[in-house]
Amino acid sequence: MWAIQHDTPHGDLLSWNGRTLVHDNRGELEFLLTGPIRIVPCPPSIPPEQTIQLRFHPHFAHHQFPIRREAYP
């Protein structure tokens, strides 16, 4: 699993409703997200019940996974 981190020296992992946003495909995260972020392995110290898949975040619910890049003009 991959997590999204603020691109600062001690950047926090992005979360929603207290759960760390994760995704199983680094390439898809890099395709969908821009800005001052880094894609990092999700720390093993974060249990699965404290994470949420990106596909379940309301801002990404309209995307179909796996991503088909040709569907994005």
Side-chain angles (χ1 to χ4, degrees), residues 3-21:
I4 308 147
Q5 183 180 44
H6 289 282
D7 192 13
T8 60
H10 301 288
D12 292 327
L13 296 177
L14 296 182
S15 62
W16 182 69
N17 283 349
R19 298 171 74 186
T20 301
L21 286 166

Side-chain angles (χ1 to χ4, degrees), residues 21-42:
L21 286 166
V22 296
H23 190 57
D24 61 355
N25 187 306
R26 181 184 179 124
E28 288 183 351
L29 284 175
E30 291 170 342
F31 178 74
L32 289 172
L33 303 174
T34 62
I37 60 165
R38 287 183 285 203
I39 308 301
V40 298
C42 186

Side-chain angles (χ1 to χ4, degrees), residues 48-62:
E49 60 271 9
Q50 291 180 9
T51 66
I52 184 168
Q53 284 276 339
L54 184 70
R55 72 182 75 223
F56 299 120
H57 187 286
H59 291 139
F60 293 91
H62 65 282

